[in-house]
Amino acid sequence: SMAALELYRHRYPVPAMYDDVVGGTHYDGYVIEMKRLLKEEPSFEPAIDWLAETLSAEGDREQPRGLLVLLQYIADSTDVADPRLQLILARATRLNGDPAQSVHRIDAYLRVGGDSGVGDLEMAHSLAWMGELENAAIEYMAGAQVRTIEARANYRRDLSWVARPRELARYDSLPADSVGAWIRHFWSKRDMQELRPDGSRLEEHLRRWVYVSQNFRVPDPGRRTAYKEVYIPYSGAPCQEKAEHSLDDYAYSEPARKGGYRTWERVFNHRAIVYMRHGEPTYRMGGDFAVLRYATDDRSNPALENSPLREAGPPGPARPKGPAQIGFERDVTWVYLMGGELRVFNFVGNQALGSNTASTLIVGSPPNLGVLQQLASLSPMYAHLANEAEWSSFGSTVIPYSCQRSYLAAVRQQREDAAVAVKTDSYLRHFAHPMQAAIQLAAIGQPGRGTGELLAVVAVRTGELTSEAVPGDTSAVHLWLRLQVAAIDSLTGEAVRMDTVRQFVSTKDMVQRNAWLSFITRVPLGPGLREVRLSVEQDDEHGSVFAAAIDPAGDNFSASDLVLGKEHGSVSWRRNDATVAVSPFTSYTIGEAVPIYYELYGLQGAGTYRTTLSLRRSGNTKLTSSLSFTDKASAPTMTSNRALTLNNVKPGAYDLVLTVEEVATGRRLVRQRAISVGAK
């Protein structure tokens, strides 16, 4: 048995033949010999110890049924009390669809001395499989407090489904007594990022784990050891550089791959990694296609000419055909909205991860024509590409399809999407009816000195808010909305969050006109809080979530964000005994004055500071207009409340830039904010 396993570990190319197994792998031979041994001598300790060590280290990999039957007999009918056997059987029964029996096995694992951290994590998975997500999350966090090396390794494997490299590096550097608190912060941070109740993201993570375990496993991974990496050969299409062709070209690790000789075998396909990180797609497109396949060249197959699969890749030169065979493939596209942008993931069958399922994320070619026509309603880029693909199918274009600008743009976008898929994770709130809102965010003060604040100026449409009559006043109505704001440290998980219901009294006329209603809210900022989420909502059906990054002032020579107002319709904000006009809108007309407020920190007493407020076209370094002046500092902090008039400018997008230079030292700082200018 060990000899067969050694041959298998080195991927010796000649198939083994053991008893009635013809054309199997050397791993099949290893299993057969081990079964023969344990049937003859069920208490043979070296073999039992070997199986307990290797199979328990392989996580949720599917194990040979013959070995599991023997291990069950040993665990239940002999004097062997190795807790690892119960752990192996607990995972196997859960994977076989019996999580209740898995719970009993985990209890037995703990009774005979199993690691409580490992046991709690396995219990969390089994309870999640049963749909008890709240209890599963409790077990998960209980296990996270255990300080053993084995528990820490198992939690790392689970976290690596969604953790970013710097988060894993931080986890690896933690002392044992800090791991539990860090894991709690890890999930709490994600609750903050998505403005969800505490514990929601962890429960969703456990639900996703069950879903991918049931739906996105690689069929018979032991027979795919020749395909350590997913390789999609270059198609030879013109106008394309040889770049990434699948998700395997991007750096990511599969958490279930653990333990010695089977590390190269994939347990989950590419859809698993995307689903674990981002959950249910906003749209699912594509479908199943039965096709006549040729062994060496699908694209030269006449049966594919009118199939949607024909559009899955660029046309290539004809190659000799192999023997024909009927096969079954799937071509599925998932669409997500991530960070306000459309992300498209195109999955096809591949020999390494399974050809009878949409197992492999490809990024070297756009989706087929049918999917492109569905995407056309969501994205102008894909609408144009669908039109090009349709014309190309009739042979009506001089430029090859794969050389069209729209085709190359779609490929570049899909490569960017794939990078986003493996470098981020999300649990976005989706509202059936998004609310219109205008928002200006500004970081004020110095967080490191305890004076930091996040200023949020928000405007919503009155017609979208629920209104109630004001008793005794027929012309007035009560309006209300829920506002949530969170500022997060994306590395440590530290955060500050505000959740409030704002109430207003307005006129019926404002509601009928669907006028804008503006207001201010402030949140204290501590050091490191640079990631902001804000939501406005009426109920579970009506609302919107917004995300932004901020750059608060440092402890020394630094500046606040620029806070912009408008000549008419601004909200008054009291700051440092002064009244500041602020607005959620950053669009202006030619000739209008832009009120600008900012603060400078870390100034030298009696120091001279040269300030320039300038306007330049977005993407252009040439100044359109500027205003310069010099001030002497009388205190470490200085405030400025000025205005810049938009004369001699043309309509378009601009950057309003603040530049401050300390004359004595030459130190400079720059702040800017984007605005738009329209005609009068």
Side-chain angles (χ1 to χ4, degrees):
S1 179
M2 299 296 290
L5 191 61
E6 185 67 13
L7 290 169
Y8 177 78
R9 186 170 73 88
H10 291 287
R11 288 183 279 179
Y12 193 74
V14 178
M17 294 187 182
Y18 295 94
D19 297 340
D20 59 342
V21 178
V22 178
T25 67
H26 287 289
Y27 191 81
D28 297 322
Y30 156 74
V31 172
I32 289 170
E33 298 293 355
M34 193 66 77
K35 285 167 56 180
R36 177 179 297 160
L37 160 67
L38 291 175
K39 282 182 179 178
E40 302 242 350
E41 192 173 346
S43 60
F44 186 62
E45 184 176 344
I48 296 171
D49 184 67
W50 168 261
L51 288 174
E53 175 66 26
T54 57
L55 300 190
S56 64
E58 291 177 0
D60 283 278
R61 184 184 299 277
E62 188 173 359
Q63 303 297 348
R65 184 176 181 279
L67 290 184
L68 293 173
V69 170
L70 289 170
L71 292 181
Q72 181 177 342
Y73 172 78
I74 293 168
D76 297 345
S77 304
T78 71
D79 294 332
V80 177
D82 191 325
R84 295 172 297 179
L85 301 185
Q86 298 292 349
L87 179 64
I88 296 164
L89 294 170
R91 291 167 172 165
T93 53
R94 181 174 61 220
L95 187 58
N96 198 40
D98 191 355
Q101 180 60 31
S102 175
V103 168
H104 294 312
R105 290 287 180 188
I106 296 167
D107 286 337
Y109 166 77
L110 295 173
R111 281 198 306 271
V112 294
D115 187 303
S116 61
V118 174
D120 285 339
L121 179 57
E122 294 299 333
M123 185 68 76
H125 286 157
S126 293
L127 291 174
W129 205 289
M130 298 167 69
E132 299 181 17
L133 295 177
E134 185 175 352
N135 289 334
I138 293 172
E139 291 287 345
Y140 185 101
M141 291 311 305
Q145 309 304 316
V146 178
R147 301 180 183 180
T148 63
I149 295 175
E150 186 178 4
R152 180 169 181 157
N154 281 22
Y155 272 90
R156 188 190 195 281
R157 182 169 63 193
D158 181 79
L159 293 169
S160 64
W161 272 117
V162 295
R164 298 166 191 181
R166 66 174 185 171
E167 289 177 317
L168 289 177
R170 174 64 177 157
Y171 181 85
D172 293 339
S173 69
L174 293 171
D177 60 356
S178 301
V179 170
W182 188 90
I183 291 175
R184 186 175 296 280
H185 271 304
F186 179 88
W187 294 113
S188 176
K189 175 185 72 174
R190 283 159 168 79
D191 289 332
M192 291 280 190
Q193 286 173 327
E194 310 301 350
L195 297 176
R196 290 184 177 273
D198 291 344
S200 297
R201 182 63 179 89
L202 174 55
E203 290 184 22
E204 172 66 4
H205 173 74
L206 291 166
R207 186 201 67 80
R208 292 179 188 180
W209 180 87
V210 173
Y211 189 84
V212 302
S213 296
Q214 293 174 342
N215 293 280
F216 302 137
R217 300 179 72 90
V218 173
D220 196 8
R223 297 183 184 274
R224 301 176 186 277
T225 56
Y227 306 99
K228 179 178 179 180
E229 296 178 354
V230 178
Y231 174 66
I232 299 178
Y234 177 60
S235 63
C239 309
Q240 290 193 69
E241 72 278 14
K242 295 182 181 180
E244 299 91 346
H245 283 76
S246 85
L247 187 61
D248 268 42
D249 296 301
Y250 295 82
Y252 84 95
S253 59
E254 183 187 67
R257 297 191 338 181
K258 179 181 174 68
Y261 52 87
R262 301 189 74 180
T263 56
W264 62 85
E265 294 174 10
R266 286 291 174 83
V267 177
F268 298 99
N269 65 33
H270 287 171
R271 276 198 284 179
I273 191 72
V274 175
Y275 195 95
M276 281 298 295
R277 286 183 170 268
H278 302 287
E280 184 66 21
T282 308
Y283 301 101
R284 292 176 182 247
M285 300 176 179
D288 303 338
F289 305 102
V291 297
L292 178 66
R293 291 179 52 88
Y294 282 79
T296 58
D297 187 358
D298 287 345
R299 294 191 179 92
S300 61
N301 178 4
L304 292 179
E305 289 298 327
N306 297 318
S307 166
L309 279 179
R310 182 66 179 82
E311 301 298 332
R319 293 185 288 273
K321 302 175 184 179
Q325 57 182 352
I326 295 293
F328 191 72
E329 281 196 352
R330 303 184 182 201
D331 191 351
V332 172
T333 298
W334 286 357
V335 181
Y336 290 85
L337 188 64
M338 299 178 186
E341 293 189 41
L342 204 68
R343 303 291 183 183
V344 177
F345 303 100
N346 189 35
F347 301 93
V348 300
N350 180 276
Q351 190 173 11
L353 300 181
S355 57
N356 290 341
T357 183
S359 60
T360 308
L361 176 64
I362 60 170
V363 294
S365 59
N368 62 62
L369 177 57
V371 172
L372 289 176
Q373 290 170 336
Q374 295 179 69
L375 289 171
S377 62
L378 304 175
S379 163
M381 179 183 72
Y382 284 105
H384 186 62
L385 182 57
N387 183 58
E388 296 290 350
E390 192 168 9
W391 278 102
S392 296
S393 65
F394 292 107
S396 304
T397 57
V398 176
I399 302 175
Y401 176 47
S402 60
C403 295
Q404 298 286 349
R405 289 183 179 179
S406 55
Y407 183 102
L408 298 174
V411 170
R412 285 193 297 270
Q413 183 62 53
Q414 288 184 168
R415 291 173 184 166
E416 179 185 325
D417 293 348
V420 170
V422 297
K423 293 178 180 178
T424 64
D425 66 283
S426 60
Y427 183 26
L428 296 176
R429 298 179 64 200
H430 295 288
F431 293 93
H433 304 286
M435 290 180 62
Q436 293 187 64
I439 298 169
Q440 181 183 179
L441 297 175
I444 304 294
Q446 295 175 285
R449 297 183 179 274
T451 61
E453 277 191 341
L454 173 67
L455 174 71
V457 194
V458 184
V460 295
R461 291 284 192 181
T462 54
E464 295 185 339
L465 302 181
T466 301
S467 61
E468 296 179 357
V470 176
D473 189 343
T474 57
S475 64
V477 292
H478 279 299
L479 303 174
W480 66 270
L481 64 81
R482 183 184 182 189
L483 177 70
Q484 295 189 73
V485 184
I488 309 122
D489 185 324
S490 59
L491 180 60
T492 66
E494 297 292 336
V496 60
R497 182 173 180 175
M498 183 197 70
D499 186 348
T500 184
V501 174
R502 301 294 296 265
Q503 296 181 328
F504 310 91
V505 176
S506 182
T507 64
K508 286 185 177 179
D509 178 62
M510 281 190 65
V511 175
Q512 291 169 354
R513 289 187 290 108
N514 198 23
W516 288 101
L517 176 67
S518 301
F519 59 94
I520 292 174
T521 192
R522 293 179 295 167
V523 177
L525 279 182
L529 305 183
R530 298 173 178 270
E531 194 173 340
V532 175
R533 295 290 188 278
L534 184 148
S535 76
V536 290
E537 53 194 283
Q538 275 279 278
D539 50 44
D540 291 339
E541 295 292 316
H542 301 79
S544 291
V545 177
F546 304 88
I550 58 173
D551 184 19
D555 294 348
N556 300 311
F557 180 47
S558 54
S560 71
D561 278 329
L562 298 180
V563 181
L564 306 185
K566 289 182 71 70
E567 287 185 312
H568 306 287
S570 289
V571 183
S572 295
W573 172 45
R574 291 292 296 173
R575 176 72 173 174
N576 296 327
D577 297 325
T579 300
V580 182
V582 297
S583 171
F585 305 102
T586 55
S587 57
Y588 302 88
T589 58
I590 296 173
E592 186 176 357
V594 183
I596 304 168
Y597 176 84
Y598 60 88
E599 298 176 357
L600 302 177
Y601 315 109
L603 307 183
Q604 299 295 325
T608 302
Y609 294 86
R610 184 180 298 114
T611 302
T612 302
L613 281 169
S614 57
L615 192 69
R616 66 189 181 199
R617 281 272 192 177
S618 294
N620 194 332
T621 58
K622 184 179 179 181
L623 298 183
T624 302
S625 62
S626 65
L627 171 67
S628 296
F629 47 90
T630 300
D631 294 301
K632 273 193 176 298
S634 58
T637 299
M638 181 189 301
T639 63
S640 183
N641 204 352
R642 299 182 180 271
L644 181 67
T645 304
L646 300 173
N647 291 326
N648 302 317
V649 298
K650 297 179 180 179
Y654 290 85
D655 291 324
L656 185 59
V657 184
L658 168 73
T659 305
V660 181
E661 180 182 1
E662 190 174 58
V663 175
T665 63
R667 292 188 300 174
R668 301 172 75 243
L669 58 82
V670 178
R671 287 281 189 170
Q672 68 180 54
R673 191 176 286 277
I675 66 171
S676 62
V677 180
K680 286 186 178 180

